[in-house]
Amino acid sequence: MDYSPILISLKTACVSILITVVLGIMAAWMVYRAQNEKVQIVLDSLFTLPMILPPTVVGFFLLLVFGVKGPVGKFLLDFFGYKIAFQWPATVLAATVISFPLMYRNAKGAFDQVDRNLLDCARTLGMSETTILWKVLIANAIPGLVSGSILSFARGLGEFGATSMIAGNIAGKTRTLPVAVYTEVAAGNMDKAMVYVACIVFAAFVAVAILDYMSIRKERRWR
């Protein structure tokens, strides 16, 4: 039994969630602060797009940008000798892009529920916008941010389409759990595929159970 897909997926999900949380909060803060409604619509649509598009299409765009002939991929290869496509970092890139909309939308929803009067009061007290973000907005939006983080982690763990496009299916290197499931099924190894499927289902179940537990606790606090 090859356990490398499990380890690769866990490593990928752990690294990608750190990036996703930061980018998701920053994007939500950007849209939250935007004064122009048209700008909000454009940014919101752009940040949500990876969740709407088929993952293979997202992977195609990533390959165009970060492949060895893409603008970013060629730059990194020519000046730093570093290749992203079909390397382990490509699995992190794919998981981050695909899970980002979940974190962004949860963060934005959590920010929208915070009373804007609190932010105005903080400004009258002379707080900077950065201080307001951390000590007022994020502090009051923690439950939504945690929910977004859990969902994004689970989504990154189960990413297949974009990963197969930009990272490929290299055993012990870029073969994540979902890719391993596809590989074993294609080879007719249903028993091995079942083990990998069980791992993904267990992770998804735990994520949903945690979210439900948090929701129940939140409801009890408001009673």
Side-chain angles (χ1 to χ4, degrees):
M1 182 67 188
D2 183 12
Y3 294 100
S4 64
I6 300 175
L7 298 177
I8 291 172
S9 288
L10 287 175
K11 185 170 67 170
T12 297
C14 289
V15 174
S16 67
I17 191 58
L18 296 177
I19 303 172
T20 302
V21 167
V22 174
L23 294 180
I25 291 176
M26 289 176 59
W29 174 236
M30 185 188 306
V31 175
Y32 183 81
R33 290 189 61 194
Q35 301 295 326
N36 191 301
E37 188 175 299
K38 292 181 180 179
V39 173
Q40 286 184 333
I41 293 174
V42 171
L43 290 177
D44 185 70
S45 301
L46 182 63
F47 293 149
T48 308
L49 200 57
M51 186 168 63
I52 306 301
L53 292 173
T56 50
V57 174
V58 176
F60 175 77
F61 283 119
L62 290 177
L63 196 58
L64 286 180
V65 176
F66 294 94
V68 292
K69 294 184 179 180
V72 178
K74 191 174 186 303
F75 172 80
L76 292 176
L77 187 62
D78 291 344
F79 289 91
F80 301 99
Y82 187 77
K83 180 183 176 183
I84 292 181
F86 304 105
Q87 303 290 330
W88 175 75
T91 66
V92 176
L93 176 64
T96 299
V97 172
I98 292 296
S99 61
F100 166 80
L102 282 173
M103 185 64 214
Y104 158 70
R105 296 205 68 83
N106 274 270
K108 183 175 179 294
F111 288 170
D112 288 338
Q113 292 180 5
V114 176
D115 190 349
R116 286 183 177 267
N117 290 325
L118 293 176
L119 277 65
D120 293 334
C121 290
R123 291 188 181 97
T124 60
L125 294 174
M127 288 187 180
S128 65
E129 292 299 320
T130 303
T131 303
I132 292 173
L133 171 62
W134 285 101
K135 293 189 175 181
V136 181
L137 196 57
I138 291 180
N140 285 277
I142 286 295
L145 298 179
V146 173
S147 298
S149 301
I150 295 172
L151 287 174
S152 298
F153 179 85
R155 183 64 186 88
L157 193 66
E159 164 50 31
F160 170 73
T163 301
S164 61
M165 291 289 289
I166 185 69
N169 182 11
I170 306 173
K173 194 172 184 179
T174 65
R175 182 176 293 172
T176 58
L177 274 172
V179 177
V181 171
Y182 175 82
T183 301
E184 298 301 341
V185 171
N189 302 323
M190 301 303 291
D191 291 339
K192 290 184 178 179
M194 187 63 70
V195 174
Y196 294 141
V197 168
C199 292
I200 297 175
V201 171
F202 176 75
F205 177 82
V206 170
V208 174
I210 293 174
L211 288 175
D212 287 341
Y213 175 74
M214 291 177 56
S215 178
I216 292 173
R217 287 196 61 183
K218 185 178 180 180
E219 290 180 0
R220 287 177 179 175
R221 288 177 182 175
W222 286 98
R223 288 178 182 175

